[in-house]
Structures are given as structure tokens and as C-alpha cells.
Amino acid sequence: MTDLSPLPKPALGEPYLLTPGPLTTSEAVKQAMLRDWGSWDGDFRAMTAELRRRLCALLGSDAEAYDCVPLQGSGSYVVEAMLGSFVPWDGKVLVLANGAYGQRAADTLRVMGKAHTMLDKGDYAPPRGPEITRLLEADPEITHVFAVHCETSSGILNPIQEIADATYAAGRKLLIDSMSAFGAVPLDPREIQFEAVVSSANKCIEGVPGFGFVLARKTALEAAEGNSLSLSLDLHRQWAAMNKTGQWRFTPPTHVVAAFIEALRAHEAEGGVAARGARYSENRDVLVSGMRDLGFVTLLSDDWLSPIITTFFCPADPNFDFTKFYDAMKARGFILYPGKLTRAESFRIGHIGQVDAHVMRAVVHAVAEVLQEMGVQCAAPASESLAEQQAETV
Ligand SMILES: *Cc1c(COP(=O)(O)O)cnc(C)c1O
């Protein structure tokens, strides 16, 4: 294990956010927000241009075929914008769902009135290539496949290469929600084909919340003209206006953009996607091995664990109470994340943001203390949770 010097503590009294965004940001990112910018001014236009250029560069050397369009709002706004802008009115989407964000994409299409069908794998089983191939063969009306890269509700890293290969072998187009993975998990269009991918400011780039962005083929952005029934969520309009004026169409979140540029510079200085992914992976490894030593069981087998966030089953011990556990962890400086499974009792610990292996060791230490305080003898989950886990063919 590499010996990292400890990251500075977040500002006095602030707990670490072990959540998948908003997350713990650096002092420099926070400092960057202490200035007001005029949205029409040349300085801010240069910041917007830098933001777009840096994000495109994260795709790798084939980046010229792609362009970046930032859009105001949280991540869901840009997912909605992607589905609304790239799927034509006579199109149909195959939504690959294995958690809340896949379900939300299907809801979004339903509200928009766009044709779609869903492959629902339940709480955490991954969608696989052969089943996607079968579904696409059976339904020639499907024009697009929607996939979630890291499904943050369980933490599963979906097999995006396999999904892209099956999609393009069948002559369809892929739209990716890489909200919680982009910037830490490579997505090189020379290897993984896709039309568009979305992410947001407050995930692996380690900015603060306030906007999302799409990276899309320029040909797809051109072809998107007239598809959107929303004015503010129309990515073609946003793109065309930004190219023409260098400005955002409507009031941009100026402070958030300033913070994000600081975060992008830090991302590059750290060593880009590879280094960011390596730090997060080490965070996960330290956390998971420490928690397993305490008797905890992860929802997913090692093959499917992401570097982003990990789900643990709650201990079956009757003395365990998640609310008390949460409060005691918060008192020690760590904000955890409740589970999002429909059946088994679980909780999640995120390992992205300004946290490193030292922080993760401190988390495990605090968990051990809290279990002792609560009188929990053993952190093993209920046998039903484990049986259910065996039943889902992961
Ligand atoms: C965070 C996230 C989103 C967007 O959620 P918002 O709350 O709208 O920011 C979408 N998809 C995934 C996979 C996410 O992790």
C-alpha cells in the first residue's frame, strides 16, 4: 500500500462526507467561490471555455469528435436533457436498470411520453451482453440503449464495455449515465462506443453541486435539433448558443463553475482519471478489508465492487440500530449513507471526494468503537440477507 501523507481535515468541525456527492471538497475548491463573476464577462467566458476543453480532454485522444455542453441543475436535469435531446420522437429506448437511477431514467421517459422498455435486473444484478443482444434482436423499434455506469444505489460497476459492444453490434446507440464514475473510471471512446455520457460537478471531479454536463458526439449534437420539447433542457440549443456566444443561455452558477475549474486543475495535478481511480480504489480496498475483519459482509462480490461506494449489510445482532450507528459515526466526524435496497437492510459508505486511505482506516476504527458502544458482538448479517444474495446470480 502506498504511504500517503494525510489529507488535511475538512474545515473545523466539518465531518467527512462519505456520500456520493455532495462530497468533501478541498480548501482550494471552497476558496474559489469567494469571488463574484459577471456571467457575460470575458473572464467568465474564458472559464466556460476552459471547463469544456478540460472535460473533453478527459475522454482521451479521440476527444475531437466530442463536445462538452454544461447545463444548470443537478445530475438528474442533465439525464433528462440527454434523453430529451438525443432520443427522437419516433425513437425508443431500452433502459438497463439495476437500481434507483435506472428506474429514474425510465420515469423520465414516461413523463416525457417517449417510447421505452426496461430490462430490470432488480437491486444489483448487472445487465449482461447476451440478454441485451436478445432484446435488441426481438425489438427493431429500439433506437437507443440507456445504461448507468456505476449504479450508485448499490455501488455496482456495470459492465459498460459489454453493454456498448452489444448495443453497437445491433446497430443501436448508447446513452450513458456516468454521473458517479466519470473522472475516476476510464471511458475512452476508442474502446467503448457511445453517443453521449452525462455527469455532474459534485461527484468524482470533486466540485460542488450546481450543474451537470454532457459529452456527446458532435454529430449527435447536430442531429439533436428539434428533438427536445423543453427549452431549458435542450442540449442542442445550449450547445449552439454556447458555441456562438461563449456564454450559457441562462444564468450560470458562476461560483460553482469557478470551484469546478479549481477541481479540474487538481484532478489533472493528481494524475488524471488513472490516479483518481487508483486513490478511490485504494480507499475501497482499505475500507472493505477493514469492515470484513469486523465481520461485515458486502452486498456485492469483489468482481462488481466499484471504487465509488460500497454497500454493507446491516448486522443481524439485535443491538444494532442504524439510526444510533449513524449518529455515533457522525459524532466521530463521518457522515454515512443509508441503504437503498428494496429488501435487505443495508447501508453505504462512499469513498470518493477528499478522502484517502488514512481517512478510511479512521472510519473502520470508528465503526469498531461504535459497535462496541452499542453492544454489537458480531457484525454478520441475517442469514436471509445472505441467502437472497446467493439467489441473485451475481
Ligand atoms: C448522483 C447521481 C445522479 C443524479 O442525481 P442528482 O441528485 O439529480 O444529482 C444520477 N445518476 C447517478 C448514477 C448518480 O450517482
Side-chain angles (χ1 to χ4, degrees):
M1 206 177 300
T2 46
D3 188 29
L4 297 157
S5 59
L7 287 168
K9 272 238 160 246
L12 211 60
E14 259 187 57
Y16 282 106
L17 298 181
L18 303 175
T19 55
L23 36 64
T24 297
T25 58
S26 72
E27 200 57 37
V29 163
K30 294 190 226 326
Q31 289 286 344
M33 290 185 283
L34 296 176
R35 193 187 146 169
D36 303 317
W37 303 87
S39 61
W40 44 264
D41 183 71
D43 291 347
F44 188 72
R45 272 183 279 151
M47 287 158 65
T48 298
E50 179 177 349
L51 176 152
R52 295 175 70 195
R53 180 175 50 72
R54 283 183 176 273
L55 284 173
C56 281
L58 294 187
L59 285 181
S61 63
D62 198 28
E64 313 79 61
Y66 287 77
D67 209 349
C68 170
V69 188
L71 183 79
Q72 300 91 327
S74 85
S76 301
Y77 291 63
V78 77
V79 172
E80 184 158 344
M82 172 169 74
L83 293 169
S85 303
F86 296 119
V87 180
W89 284 96
D90 56 356
K92 181 173 181 181
V93 186
L94 168 61
V95 175
L96 307 178
N98 54 347
Y101 293 105
Q103 297 286 347
R104 189 177 299 173
D107 277 351
T108 306
L109 288 161
R110 186 178 50 74
V111 169
M112 271 189 245
K114 284 196 176 176
H116 61 283
T117 176
M118 184 156 58
L119 171 62
D120 187 355
K121 301 296 305 253
D123 273 350
Y124 52 89
R128 302 311 302 255
E131 57 190 339
I132 297 166
T133 302
R134 275 196 301 280
L135 288 167
L136 294 178
E137 265 169 18
D139 190 345
E141 287 182 2
I142 296 171
T143 53
H144 292 74
V145 173
F146 171 90
V148 181
H149 196 177
C150 171
E151 177 45 86
T152 323
S153 29
S154 64
I156 188 171
L157 192 60
N158 280 320
I160 202 72
Q161 176 87 63
E162 200 175 297
I163 293 167
D165 290 348
T167 302
Y168 283 89
R172 319 300 166 84
K173 293 169 174 170
L174 181 61
L175 303 173
I176 306 174
D177 169 356
S178 186
M179 207 69 65
S180 62
F182 187 80
V185 181
L187 193 68
D188 187 333
R190 284 166 306 175
E191 281 155 24
I192 299 167
Q193 287 193 76
F194 58 88
E195 293 304 293
V197 59
V198 288
S199 183
S200 69
N202 58 288
K203 306 247 174 169
C204 297
I205 308 291
E206 302 186 355
V208 303
F211 71 92
F213 52 88
V214 61
L215 290 158
R217 280 184 204 271
K218 288 174 182 164
T219 51
L221 284 162
E222 272 154 23
E225 186 171 6
N227 282 345
S228 180
L229 270 198
S230 163
L231 179 71
S232 51
L233 299 181
D234 185 337
L235 289 171
H236 175 84
R237 281 192 156 97
Q238 182 90 336
W239 177 64
M242 217 169 247
N243 283 349
K244 201 168 156 203
T245 66
Q247 295 175 26
W248 300 52
R249 276 181 307 163
F250 313 129
T251 304
T254 47
H255 302 78
V256 178
V257 170
F260 191 70
I261 286 176
E262 195 55 45
L264 278 169
R265 290 176 186 161
H267 183 271
E268 185 183 21
E270 184 173 348
V273 176
R276 184 65 48 101
R279 173 160 61 87
Y280 291 172
S281 296
E282 188 186 18
N283 288 349
R284 174 203 55 210
D285 293 347
V286 168
L287 176 75
V288 167
S289 77
M291 293 289 281
R292 283 179 177 160
D293 287 347
L294 297 177
F296 282 95
V297 174
T298 58
L299 169 74
L300 301 170
S301 64
D302 289 2
D303 289 350
W304 300 103
L305 290 179
S306 69
I308 312 303
I309 188 167
T310 301
T311 301
F312 298 94
F313 289 117
C314 288
D317 191 308
N319 287 335
F320 184 83
D321 176 294
F322 180 74
T323 310
K324 279 190 201 153
F325 179 65
Y326 179 93
D327 291 342
M329 286 299 290
K330 182 176 173 184
R332 284 166 173 77
F334 303 109
I335 300 276
L336 305 185
Y337 212 47
K340 218 175 198 175
L341 302 180
T342 45
R343 285 170 290 178
E345 291 288 325
S346 64
F347 66 93
R348 292 173 287 173
I349 300 182
H351 15 84
I352 63 178
Q354 282 290 291
V355 292
D356 64 8
H358 294 276
V359 176
M360 290 298 129
R361 275 189 280 274
V363 173
V364 174
H365 184 81
V367 169
E369 264 182 20
V370 171
L371 290 186
Q372 203 171 30
E373 195 176 274
M374 293 174 83
V376 174
Q377 300 295 327
C378 169
S383 48
E384 305 88 73
S385 301
L386 292 177
E388 187 196 306
Q389 186 191 30
Q390 302 294 322
E392 295 225 20
T393 50
V394 181

Short mmCIF file of all heavy atoms in Angstrom, two decimals, residues 138-194:
data_model
loop_
_atom_site.label_atom_id
_atom_site.label_comp_id
_atom_site.label_asym_id
_atom_site.label_seq_id
_atom_site.Cartn_x
_atom_site.Cartn_y
_atom_site.Cartn_z
N ALA A 138 -35.10 -8.77 -30.75
CA ALA A 138 -36.55 -9.00 -30.68
C ALA A 138 -37.36 -7.73 -30.94
O ALA A 138 -38.55 -7.80 -31.23
CB ALA A 138 -36.91 -9.57 -29.31
N ASP A 139 -36.73 -6.56 -30.81
CA ASP A 139 -37.49 -5.31 -30.93
C ASP A 139 -36.76 -4.31 -31.82
O ASP A 139 -35.97 -3.49 -31.35
CB ASP A 139 -37.74 -4.71 -29.53
CG ASP A 139 -38.72 -3.55 -29.59
OD1 ASP A 139 -38.99 -3.04 -30.69
OD2 ASP A 139 -39.21 -3.14 -28.52
N PRO A 140 -37.04 -4.36 -33.13
CA PRO A 140 -36.32 -3.47 -34.07
C PRO A 140 -36.66 -1.99 -33.88
O PRO A 140 -35.95 -1.13 -34.42
CB PRO A 140 -36.77 -3.97 -35.45
CG PRO A 140 -37.96 -4.83 -35.23
CD PRO A 140 -37.95 -5.29 -33.81
N GLU A 141 -37.72 -1.69 -33.12
CA GLU A 141 -38.05 -0.28 -32.90
C GLU A 141 -37.10 0.43 -31.94
O GLU A 141 -37.04 1.65 -31.89
CB GLU A 141 -39.48 -0.16 -32.35
CG GLU A 141 -40.53 -0.45 -33.41
CD GLU A 141 -41.94 -0.29 -32.90
OE1 GLU A 141 -42.12 0.08 -31.71
OE2 GLU A 141 -42.85 -0.55 -33.68
N ILE A 142 -36.36 -0.36 -31.14
CA ILE A 142 -35.43 0.26 -30.18
C ILE A 142 -34.30 0.94 -30.94
O ILE A 142 -33.62 0.32 -31.76
CB ILE A 142 -34.86 -0.79 -29.20
CG1 ILE A 142 -35.99 -1.37 -28.33
CG2 ILE A 142 -33.77 -0.17 -28.31
CD1 ILE A 142 -35.56 -2.56 -27.48
N THR A 143 -34.13 2.25 -30.68
CA THR A 143 -33.07 3.01 -31.35
C THR A 143 -31.88 3.27 -30.41
O THR A 143 -30.76 3.42 -30.85
CB THR A 143 -33.61 4.37 -31.82
OG1 THR A 143 -34.23 5.04 -30.71
CG2 THR A 143 -34.62 4.22 -32.95
N HIS A 144 -32.17 3.36 -29.09
CA HIS A 144 -31.14 3.73 -28.11
C HIS A 144 -31.17 2.79 -26.91
O HIS A 144 -32.23 2.30 -26.53
CB HIS A 144 -31.37 5.16 -27.61
CG HIS A 144 -31.14 6.22 -28.63
ND1 HIS A 144 -32.02 6.47 -29.67
CD2 HIS A 144 -30.12 7.10 -28.80
CE1 HIS A 144 -31.55 7.47 -30.42
NE2 HIS A 144 -30.40 7.87 -29.91
N VAL A 145 -29.99 2.59 -26.33
CA VAL A 145 -29.89 1.87 -25.06
C VAL A 145 -29.39 2.88 -24.03
O VAL A 145 -28.50 3.69 -24.31
CB VAL A 145 -28.91 0.68 -25.17
CG1 VAL A 145 -28.68 0.02 -23.82
CG2 VAL A 145 -29.44 -0.35 -26.19
N PHE A 146 -30.02 2.86 -22.85
CA PHE A 146 -29.58 3.73 -21.75
C PHE A 146 -28.96 2.85 -20.67
O PHE A 146 -29.57 1.88 -20.23
CB PHE A 146 -30.77 4.50 -21.16
CG PHE A 146 -30.42 5.24 -19.89
CD1 PHE A 146 -29.96 6.56 -19.94
CD2 PHE A 146 -30.56 4.62 -18.65
CE1 PHE A 146 -29.62 7.24 -18.76
CE2 PHE A 146 -30.22 5.30 -17.48
CZ PHE A 146 -29.76 6.60 -17.54
N ALA A 147 -27.75 3.19 -20.24
CA ALA A 147 -27.08 2.41 -19.18
C ALA A 147 -26.54 3.32 -18.09
O ALA A 147 -26.15 4.46 -18.36
CB ALA A 147 -25.94 1.60 -19.78
N VAL A 148 -26.54 2.81 -16.88
CA VAL A 148 -25.92 3.51 -15.75
C VAL A 148 -24.54 2.89 -15.55
O VAL A 148 -24.42 1.67 -15.42
CB VAL A 148 -26.77 3.37 -14.47
CG1 VAL A 148 -26.12 4.12 -13.32
CG2 VAL A 148 -28.19 3.86 -14.71
N HIS A 149 -23.52 3.70 -15.55
CA HIS A 149 -22.13 3.20 -15.48
C HIS A 149 -21.87 2.59 -14.10
O HIS A 149 -21.72 1.39 -13.97
CB HIS A 149 -21.18 4.37 -15.78
CG HIS A 149 -19.78 3.94 -16.11
ND1 HIS A 149 -18.81 4.84 -16.46
CD2 HIS A 149 -19.18 2.73 -16.12
CE1 HIS A 149 -17.68 4.19 -16.70
NE2 HIS A 149 -17.88 2.91 -16.49
N CYS A 150 -21.85 3.45 -13.06
CA CYS A 150 -21.82 2.94 -11.69
C CYS A 150 -23.20 3.21 -11.11
O CYS A 150 -23.59 4.38 -10.99
CB CYS A 150 -20.74 3.62 -10.86
SG CYS A 150 -20.84 3.22 -9.10
N GLU A 151 -23.96 2.17 -10.80
CA GLU A 151 -25.30 2.36 -10.21
C GLU A 151 -25.08 2.64 -8.72
O GLU A 151 -24.79 1.74 -7.93
CB GLU A 151 -26.17 1.13 -10.49
CG GLU A 151 -27.56 1.12 -9.90
CD GLU A 151 -28.38 2.40 -10.04
OE1 GLU A 151 -29.07 2.61 -11.07
OE2 GLU A 151 -28.37 3.18 -9.07
N THR A 152 -25.19 3.90 -8.38
CA THR A 152 -24.82 4.37 -7.05
C THR A 152 -25.70 3.80 -5.94
O THR A 152 -25.31 3.80 -4.78
CB THR A 152 -24.86 5.92 -7.04
OG1 THR A 152 -24.39 6.39 -8.30
CG2 THR A 152 -23.98 6.50 -5.96
N SER A 153 -26.88 3.30 -6.31
CA SER A 153 -27.76 2.77 -5.25
C SER A 153 -27.20 1.50 -4.62
O SER A 153 -27.44 1.26 -3.45
CB SER A 153 -29.20 2.58 -5.72
OG SER A 153 -29.29 2.31 -7.08
N SER A 154 -26.44 0.70 -5.38
CA SER A 154 -25.79 -0.47 -4.76
C SER A 154 -24.28 -0.31 -4.77
O SER A 154 -23.57 -0.94 -4.00
CB SER A 154 -26.16 -1.74 -5.52
OG SER A 154 -25.65 -1.69 -6.85
N GLY A 155 -23.77 0.52 -5.68
CA GLY A 155 -22.32 0.67 -5.84
C GLY A 155 -21.77 -0.22 -6.95
O GLY A 155 -20.56 -0.25 -7.17
N ILE A 156 -22.64 -0.92 -7.66
CA ILE A 156 -22.15 -1.85 -8.70
C ILE A 156 -21.56 -1.08 -9.89
O ILE A 156 -22.11 -0.07 -10.33
CB ILE A 156 -23.27 -2.81 -9.17
CG1 ILE A 156 -22.69 -3.89 -10.09
CG2 ILE A 156 -24.40 -2.06 -9.88
CD1 ILE A 156 -23.68 -5.00 -10.42
N LEU A 157 -20.43 -1.57 -10.37
CA LEU A 157 -19.84 -1.02 -11.59
C LEU A 157 -20.34 -1.89 -12.73
O LEU A 157 -19.92 -3.04 -12.88
CB LEU A 157 -18.31 -1.05 -11.48
CG LEU A 157 -17.56 -0.27 -12.55
CD1 LEU A 157 -17.92 1.22 -12.53
CD2 LEU A 157 -16.06 -0.42 -12.36
N ASN A 158 -21.27 -1.37 -13.52
CA ASN A 158 -21.87 -2.17 -14.59
C ASN A 158 -20.88 -2.40 -15.73
O ASN A 158 -19.99 -1.58 -15.96
CB ASN A 158 -23.15 -1.48 -15.09
CG ASN A 158 -24.33 -1.75 -14.18
OD1 ASN A 158 -24.50 -2.86 -13.69
ND2 ASN A 158 -25.14 -0.73 -13.93
N PRO A 159 -21.01 -3.53 -16.44
CA PRO A 159 -20.03 -3.89 -17.48
C PRO A 159 -20.26 -3.07 -18.76
O PRO A 159 -20.85 -3.54 -19.73
CB PRO A 159 -20.31 -5.38 -17.71
CG PRO A 159 -21.74 -5.56 -17.33
CD PRO A 159 -22.06 -4.54 -16.28
N ILE A 160 -19.76 -1.84 -18.74
CA ILE A 160 -20.11 -0.86 -19.78
C ILE A 160 -19.54 -1.25 -21.15
O ILE A 160 -20.16 -1.00 -22.18
CB ILE A 160 -19.71 0.57 -19.33
CG1 ILE A 160 -20.49 1.62 -20.09
CG2 ILE A 160 -18.22 0.80 -19.41
CD1 ILE A 160 -21.94 1.73 -19.72
N GLN A 161 -18.35 -1.89 -21.13
CA GLN A 161 -17.77 -2.33 -22.41
C GLN A 161 -18.69 -3.36 -23.09
O GLN A 161 -19.00 -3.25 -24.27
CB GLN A 161 -16.39 -2.96 -22.15
CG GLN A 161 -15.73 -3.53 -23.39
CD GLN A 161 -14.93 -2.48 -24.15
OE1 GLN A 161 -13.96 -1.94 -23.64
NE2 GLN A 161 -15.35 -2.16 -25.37
N GLU A 162 -19.11 -4.34 -22.30
CA GLU A 162 -20.00 -5.39 -22.80
C GLU A 162 -21.32 -4.80 -23.30
O GLU A 162 -21.84 -5.19 -24.35
CB GLU A 162 -20.26 -6.33 -21.60
CG GLU A 162 -20.74 -7.69 -21.92
CD GLU A 162 -20.83 -8.53 -20.63
OE1 GLU A 162 -19.77 -8.77 -19.99
OE2 GLU A 162 -21.94 -8.93 -20.27
N ILE A 163 -21.84 -3.83 -22.56
CA ILE A 163 -23.10 -3.18 -22.92
C ILE A 163 -22.93 -2.41 -24.25
O ILE A 163 -23.76 -2.50 -25.15
CB ILE A 163 -23.56 -2.23 -21.79
CG1 ILE A 163 -23.95 -3.04 -20.54
CG2 ILE A 163 -24.71 -1.34 -22.24
CD1 ILE A 163 -24.13 -2.22 -19.27
N ALA A 164 -21.82 -1.67 -24.37
CA ALA A 164 -21.56 -0.89 -25.59
C ALA A 164 -21.38 -1.82 -26.78
O ALA A 164 -21.92 -1.57 -27.87
CB ALA A 164 -20.32 -0.01 -25.39
N ASP A 165 -20.65 -2.91 -26.58
CA ASP A 165 -20.40 -3.85 -27.68
C ASP A 165 -21.72 -4.44 -28.18
O ASP A 165 -21.95 -4.52 -29.39
CB ASP A 165 -19.45 -4.96 -27.23
CG ASP A 165 -18.02 -4.45 -27.02
OD1 ASP A 165 -17.74 -3.29 -27.44
OD2 ASP A 165 -17.20 -5.17 -26.44
N ALA A 166 -22.58 -4.87 -27.26
CA ALA A 166 -23.87 -5.47 -27.65
C ALA A 166 -24.74 -4.43 -28.36
O ALA A 166 -25.42 -4.74 -29.34
CB ALA A 166 -24.58 -6.02 -26.41
N THR A 167 -24.72 -3.19 -27.87
CA THR A 167 -25.54 -2.13 -28.44
C THR A 167 -25.14 -1.83 -29.89
O THR A 167 -26.00 -1.79 -30.79
CB THR A 167 -25.43 -0.84 -27.59
OG1 THR A 167 -25.83 -1.15 -26.26
CG2 THR A 167 -26.28 0.28 -28.15
N TYR A 168 -23.84 -1.62 -30.11
CA TYR A 168 -23.39 -1.22 -31.46
C TYR A 168 -23.34 -2.40 -32.42
O TYR A 168 -23.53 -2.23 -33.63
CB TYR A 168 -22.07 -0.45 -31.37
CG TYR A 168 -22.34 0.96 -30.89
CD1 TYR A 168 -22.36 1.26 -29.53
CD2 TYR A 168 -22.68 1.98 -31.79
CE1 TYR A 168 -22.67 2.54 -29.08
CE2 TYR A 168 -22.99 3.25 -31.35
CZ TYR A 168 -22.99 3.53 -29.99
OH TYR A 168 -23.31 4.79 -29.56
N ALA A 169 -23.16 -3.64 -31.90
CA ALA A 169 -23.23 -4.82 -32.77
C ALA A 169 -24.63 -4.94 -33.36
O ALA A 169 -24.82 -5.43 -34.47
CB ALA A 169 -22.88 -6.08 -31.98
N ALA A 170 -25.63 -4.44 -32.60
CA ALA A 170 -27.02 -4.49 -33.08
C ALA A 170 -27.40 -3.20 -33.81
O ALA A 170 -28.58 -2.99 -34.13
CB ALA A 170 -27.95 -4.73 -31.89
N GLY A 171 -26.43 -2.32 -34.04
CA GLY A 171 -26.69 -1.10 -34.80
C GLY A 171 -27.50 -0.06 -34.05
O GLY A 171 -28.16 0.78 -34.66
N ARG A 172 -27.45 -0.07 -32.71
CA ARG A 172 -28.18 0.93 -31.92
C ARG A 172 -27.18 1.87 -31.25
O ARG A 172 -25.97 1.67 -31.35
CB ARG A 172 -29.06 0.25 -30.84
CG ARG A 172 -29.78 -1.00 -31.32
CD ARG A 172 -30.72 -0.74 -32.49
NE ARG A 172 -31.11 -2.02 -33.11
CZ ARG A 172 -32.11 -2.79 -32.67
NH1 ARG A 172 -32.84 -2.40 -31.63
NH2 ARG A 172 -32.37 -3.93 -33.27
N LYS A 173 -27.70 2.88 -30.55
CA LYS A 173 -26.84 3.91 -29.96
C LYS A 173 -26.93 3.88 -28.43
O LYS A 173 -28.00 3.64 -27.88
CB LYS A 173 -27.27 5.28 -30.47
CG LYS A 173 -26.98 5.44 -31.96
CD LYS A 173 -27.63 6.68 -32.52
CE LYS A 173 -27.19 6.89 -33.98
NZ LYS A 173 -27.97 7.93 -34.64
N LEU A 174 -25.79 4.18 -27.79
CA LEU A 174 -25.73 4.09 -26.32
C LEU A 174 -25.67 5.48 -25.68
O LEU A 174 -24.89 6.33 -26.08
CB LEU A 174 -24.50 3.27 -25.91
CG LEU A 174 -24.29 3.04 -24.41
CD1 LEU A 174 -25.46 2.26 -23.80
CD2 LEU A 174 -22.98 2.29 -24.17
N LEU A 175 -26.52 5.67 -24.66
CA LEU A 175 -26.51 6.87 -23.83
C LEU A 175 -26.13 6.43 -22.41
O LEU A 175 -26.74 5.49 -21.88
CB LEU A 175 -27.89 7.54 -23.81
CG LEU A 175 -28.46 7.93 -25.19
CD1 LEU A 175 -29.90 8.42 -25.05
CD2 LEU A 175 -27.59 9.01 -25.85
N ILE A 176 -25.14 7.08 -21.83
CA ILE A 176 -24.62 6.60 -20.53
C ILE A 176 -24.80 7.64 -19.42
O ILE A 176 -24.44 8.81 -19.58
CB ILE A 176 -23.10 6.27 -20.64
CG1 ILE A 176 -22.82 5.29 -21.78
CG2 ILE A 176 -22.58 5.72 -19.32
CD1 ILE A 176 -21.33 5.04 -22.03
N ASP A 177 -25.34 7.19 -18.30
CA ASP A 177 -25.31 7.97 -17.06
C ASP A 177 -24.06 7.52 -16.31
O ASP A 177 -24.05 6.47 -15.67
CB ASP A 177 -26.59 7.69 -16.25
CG ASP A 177 -26.52 8.26 -14.83
OD1 ASP A 177 -25.47 8.81 -14.45
OD2 ASP A 177 -27.53 8.15 -14.12
N SER A 178 -23.00 8.33 -16.43
CA SER A 178 -21.76 8.02 -15.71
C SER A 178 -21.57 9.03 -14.58
O SER A 178 -20.44 9.40 -14.24
CB SER A 178 -20.56 8.03 -16.66
OG SER A 178 -19.40 7.60 -15.97
N MET A 179 -22.71 9.46 -14.02
CA MET A 179 -22.70 10.51 -13.01
C MET A 179 -21.63 10.27 -11.94
O MET A 179 -20.83 11.13 -11.66
CB MET A 179 -24.08 10.57 -12.35
CG MET A 179 -24.44 11.92 -11.81
SD MET A 179 -24.72 13.13 -13.11
CE MET A 179 -26.15 12.48 -13.92
N SER A 180 -21.68 9.06 -11.35
CA SER A 180 -20.83 8.81 -10.19
C SER A 180 -19.51 8.14 -10.56
O SER A 180 -18.74 7.80 -9.66
CB SER A 180 -21.59 7.96 -9.17
OG SER A 180 -21.92 6.70 -9.73
N ALA A 181 -19.23 7.95 -11.84
CA ALA A 181 -17.98 7.27 -12.22
C ALA A 181 -17.04 8.15 -13.04
O ALA A 181 -15.82 7.99 -12.98
CB ALA A 181 -18.29 6.00 -13.01
N PHE A 182 -17.62 9.10 -13.80
CA PHE A 182 -16.82 9.89 -14.72
C PHE A 182 -15.71 10.66 -13.98
O PHE A 182 -15.97 11.33 -12.99
CB PHE A 182 -17.69 10.88 -15.50
CG PHE A 182 -16.94 11.60 -16.58
CD1 PHE A 182 -16.69 10.99 -17.79
CD2 PHE A 182 -16.44 12.87 -16.36
CE1 PHE A 182 -15.96 11.63 -18.79
CE2 PHE A 182 -15.72 13.53 -17.35
CZ PHE A 182 -15.48 12.91 -18.56
N GLY A 183 -14.50 10.54 -14.50
CA GLY A 183 -13.36 11.21 -13.88
C GLY A 183 -12.54 10.27 -13.00
O GLY A 183 -11.41 10.58 -12.64
N ALA A 184 -13.13 9.11 -12.64
CA ALA A 184 -12.39 8.13 -11.82
C ALA A 184 -12.34 6.76 -12.49
O ALA A 184 -11.49 5.94 -12.16
CB ALA A 184 -13.02 8.02 -10.44
N VAL A 185 -13.28 6.51 -13.40
CA VAL A 185 -13.30 5.24 -14.15
C VAL A 185 -13.13 5.61 -15.62
O VAL A 185 -13.86 6.45 -16.13
CB VAL A 185 -14.63 4.48 -13.93
CG1 VAL A 185 -14.62 3.16 -14.70
CG2 VAL A 185 -14.90 4.25 -12.44
N PRO A 186 -12.13 5.03 -16.31
CA PRO A 186 -11.89 5.44 -17.70
C PRO A 186 -13.09 5.17 -18.61
O PRO A 186 -13.82 4.20 -18.41
CB PRO A 186 -10.69 4.59 -18.13
CG PRO A 186 -10.31 3.74 -16.99
CD PRO A 186 -11.23 3.97 -15.85
N LEU A 187 -13.29 6.08 -19.57
CA LEU A 187 -14.35 5.90 -20.56
C LEU A 187 -13.78 6.43 -21.87
O LEU A 187 -13.99 7.58 -22.24
CB LEU A 187 -15.59 6.69 -20.13
CG LEU A 187 -16.89 6.37 -20.88
CD1 LEU A 187 -17.38 4.98 -20.53
CD2 LEU A 187 -17.97 7.39 -20.54
N ASP A 188 -13.00 5.58 -22.53
CA ASP A 188 -12.31 6.01 -23.73
C ASP A 188 -13.14 5.62 -24.95
O ASP A 188 -13.36 4.43 -25.19
CB ASP A 188 -10.93 5.33 -23.77
CG ASP A 188 -10.07 5.85 -24.92
OD1 ASP A 188 -10.64 6.32 -25.94
OD2 ASP A 188 -8.83 5.80 -24.80
N PRO A 189 -13.61 6.60 -25.73
CA PRO A 189 -14.48 6.27 -26.87
C PRO A 189 -13.81 5.41 -27.94
O PRO A 189 -14.50 4.84 -28.78
CB PRO A 189 -14.88 7.64 -27.43
CG PRO A 189 -14.03 8.64 -26.78
CD PRO A 189 -13.41 8.03 -25.56
N ARG A 190 -12.48 5.30 -27.91
CA ARG A 190 -11.83 4.39 -28.87
C ARG A 190 -12.09 2.94 -28.48
O ARG A 190 -12.02 2.04 -29.30
CB ARG A 190 -10.32 4.64 -28.90
CG ARG A 190 -9.94 5.89 -29.67
CD ARG A 190 -8.50 6.25 -29.38
NE ARG A 190 -8.29 6.34 -27.94
CZ ARG A 190 -7.12 6.55 -27.34
NH1 ARG A 190 -6.03 6.67 -28.07
NH2 ARG A 190 -7.04 6.66 -26.04
N GLU A 191 -12.39 2.72 -27.19
CA GLU A 191 -12.66 1.35 -26.74
C GLU A 191 -14.15 1.12 -26.50
O GLU A 191 -14.67 0.06 -26.78
CB GLU A 191 -11.90 1.07 -25.44
CG GLU A 191 -10.44 0.77 -25.69
CD GLU A 191 -9.57 1.08 -24.50
OE1 GLU A 191 -10.08 1.09 -23.36
OE2 GLU A 191 -8.37 1.33 -24.71
N ILE A 192 -14.79 2.11 -25.93
CA ILE A 192 -16.21 1.99 -25.59
C ILE A 192 -16.99 2.99 -26.43
O ILE A 192 -16.84 4.20 -26.27
CB ILE A 192 -16.42 2.26 -24.08
CG1 ILE A 192 -15.64 1.24 -23.25
CG2 ILE A 192 -17.91 2.24 -23.73
CD1 ILE A 192 -15.51 1.59 -21.79
N GLN A 193 -17.81 2.47 -27.35
CA GLN A 193 -18.59 3.38 -28.21
C GLN A 193 -19.79 3.92 -27.45
O GLN A 193 -20.45 3.18 -26.73
CB GLN A 193 -19.12 2.62 -29.41
CG GLN A 193 -18.07 2.26 -30.44
CD GLN A 193 -18.77 1.79 -31.71
OE1 GLN A 193 -19.31 2.58 -32.48
NE2 GLN A 193 -18.78 0.49 -31.91
N PHE A 194 -20.09 5.20 -27.64
CA PHE A 194 -21.31 5.78 -27.08
C PHE A 194 -21.63 7.08 -27.80
O PHE A 194 -20.74 7.70 -28.40
CB PHE A 194 -21.19 6.01 -25.57
CG PHE A 194 -20.06 6.92 -25.16
CD1 PHE A 194 -20.23 8.29 -25.09
CD2 PHE A 194 -18.80 6.40 -24.86
CE1 PHE A 194 -19.18 9.13 -24.72
CE2 PHE A 194 -17.74 7.23 -24.50
CZ PHE A 194 -17.94 8.60 -24.42
#
